[in-house]
């Protein structure tokens, strides 16, 4: 067990991105529990709470189940949920480096009214998503790219008057993570400190409207089991009005339990 956890810490901690998923999976037969809080301060403060359970069935397959609740529409209420699955189909391993490729899919439901053509399947919209992820680890630096297709299930009855109807979006991201501490690993109890920069974007293929966000973040991992994330995303460029996650903070705590499944 100690060898497994130490390997996870030394080889993968800088791949645990804040706003995206890597192509690598959590260890086989493990369970993770996350609590994420995200929100915005303008035009007035509002936030969303996302409880999440993750299961690593084997080295190639993992699933996530999420719930969404927020005060985005006035008072706190349950908004919906999401199911996410990721399958790693390629692994190329070398000393202190590896390359991973994975395919993923998500289906979500939300009872929020729609007010923008952007599609956010983590609380704001009902729909599905499918895509691919490519992740390269180079010693202390991890780079990852994601391409996805997002399709909304929204009905006209949920659309706010005068607002655009969400239909489909192409998503893309480029993420980097760097392991700052420790300088030298001695055991898995050492805290990890990681620095992240992620570029997150979407384009509406129907009209060409798009946006690109920059999302810096920091992360602490304790005893290879507890993870704490703090990040903020802000728009670099875009012409897609009304989207909720422009200027959004994210705070998360995650607990991992290894070798608990038979």
């Amino acid at each position: 067990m100690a060898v497994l956890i130490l390997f996870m810490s030394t080889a993968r901690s800088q791949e645990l991105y804040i706003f995206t998923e890597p192509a690598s999976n959590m260890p086989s037969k493990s369970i993770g529990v996350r609590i994420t809080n995200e929100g915005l301060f303008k035009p007035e403060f509002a936030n969303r709470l996302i409880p999440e359970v993750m299961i690593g069935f084997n080295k190639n397959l993992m699933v996530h189940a999420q719930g969404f609740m927020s005060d985005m529409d006035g008072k706190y209420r349950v908004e919906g949920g999401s199911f996410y699955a990721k399958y790693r189909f390629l692994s190329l391993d070398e000393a202190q480096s590896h390359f991973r490729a994975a395919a993923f899919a998500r289906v979500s439901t939300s009872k929020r009214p729609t007010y923008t053509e952007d599609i956010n399947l983590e609380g704001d919209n009902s729909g599905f998503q499918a895509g691919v992820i490519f992740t390269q680890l180079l010693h202390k630096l991890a780079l990852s790219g994601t391409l996805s297709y997002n399709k909304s299930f929204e009905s006209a009855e949920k659309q706010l008057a005068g607002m655009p109807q969400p239909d489909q979006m192409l998503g893309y991201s480029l993420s980097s993570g760097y392991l700052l501490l420790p300088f030298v690993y001695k055991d898995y109890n050492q805290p990890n400190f990681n620095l992240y920069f992620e570029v997150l974007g979407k384009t509406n293929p129907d009209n060409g409207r798009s946006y690109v966000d920059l999302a810096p973040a920091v992360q602490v991992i304790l005893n290879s089991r507890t993870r704490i994330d703090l990040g903020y995303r802000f728009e670099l460029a875009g012409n897609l009005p009304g989207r909720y996650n422009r200027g959004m903070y994210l705070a998360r705590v995650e607990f991992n339990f290894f070798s608990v499944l038979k």
Side-chain angles (χ1 to χ4, degrees):
M1 174 62 70
V3 173
L4 172 63
I5 298 175
L6 181 60
F7 174 78
M8 177 186 174
S9 299
T10 56
R12 297 184 56 244
S13 68
Q14 60 269 47
E15 294 179 43
L16 301 176
Y17 303 107
I18 313 301
F19 292 90
T20 61
E21 283 284 322
S24 297
N25 287 333
M26 61 194 303
S28 177
K29 305 185 184 304
S30 61
I31 294 177
V33 178
R34 286 178 179 172
I35 300 293
T36 301
N37 181 261
E38 59 183 29
L40 63 164
F41 298 98
K42 297 179 181 180
E44 59 185 22
F45 179 74
N47 73 105
R48 172 174 290 130
L49 190 67
I50 307 176
E52 182 174 0
V53 175
M54 308 173 293
I55 301 175
F57 289 104
N58 54 53
K59 66 179 182 179
N60 294 323
L61 177 64
M62 68 178 295
V63 300
H64 299 215
Q66 295 175 306
F68 309 118
M69 56 194 76
S70 85
D71 60 355
M72 299 293 176
D73 300 310
K75 64 179 182 179
Y76 245 95
R77 65 169 184 167
V78 175
E79 298 171 317
S82 175
F83 180 81
Y84 172 98
K86 179 174 60 176
Y87 182 79
R88 187 180 71 185
F89 59 83
L90 179 64
S91 298
L92 302 175
D93 297 319
E94 297 181 8
Q96 298 191 17
S97 70
H98 63 232
F99 179 80
R100 304 276 191 263
F104 69 93
R106 180 193 298 274
V107 61
S108 301
T109 181
S110 174
K111 58 185 179 184
R112 288 205 70 202
T114 59
Y115 53 91
T116 174
E117 62 196 83
D118 188 24
I119 299 174
N120 172 33
L121 296 179
E122 292 190 84
D124 290 326
N125 298 94
S126 299
F128 80 88
Q129 177 189 49
V132 291
I133 311 170
F134 303 95
T135 301
Q136 175 71 65
L137 176 69
L138 299 168
H139 192 36
K140 292 189 175 185
L141 175 67
L143 301 172
S144 189
T146 302
L147 297 172
S148 68
Y149 174 77
N150 303 263
K151 177 67 176 178
S152 172
F153 294 155
E154 308 294 10
S155 62
E157 288 76 17
K158 291 178 64 177
Q159 184 178 1
L160 294 180
M163 296 297 181
Q165 174 81 26
D167 181 24
Q168 58 183 343
M169 295 290 286
L170 301 177
Y172 36 88
S173 67
L174 180 62
S175 303
S176 63
Y178 189 79
L179 177 66
L180 293 175
L181 295 173
F183 296 118
V184 178
Y185 269 97
K186 296 180 181 179
D187 60 67
Y188 64 84
N189 291 316
Q190 289 178 278
N192 286 204
F193 183 74
N194 299 309
L195 178 64
Y196 294 93
F197 289 96
E198 301 186 61
V199 178
L200 316 167
K202 285 184 187 159
T203 296
N204 187 334
D206 294 328
N207 56 28
R209 292 196 186 105
S210 63
Y211 68 85
V212 176
D213 288 354
L214 178 62
V218 294
Q219 179 184 80
V220 176
I221 299 176
L222 304 173
N223 297 320
S224 297
R225 296 177 181 270
T226 302
R227 166 182 163 185
I228 302 168
D229 301 335
L230 292 173
Y232 187 82
R233 63 186 292 172
F234 58 91
E235 187 173 275
L236 290 178
N239 58 356
L240 205 156
R243 63 187 186 93
Y244 139 78
N245 55 8
R246 177 192 290 114
M248 183 193 79
Y249 76 83
L250 182 150
R252 175 186 294 131
V253 61
E254 175 182 320
F255 307 96
N256 290 280
F257 307 92
F258 303 116
S259 300
V260 296
L261 300 179
K262 296 182 179 180

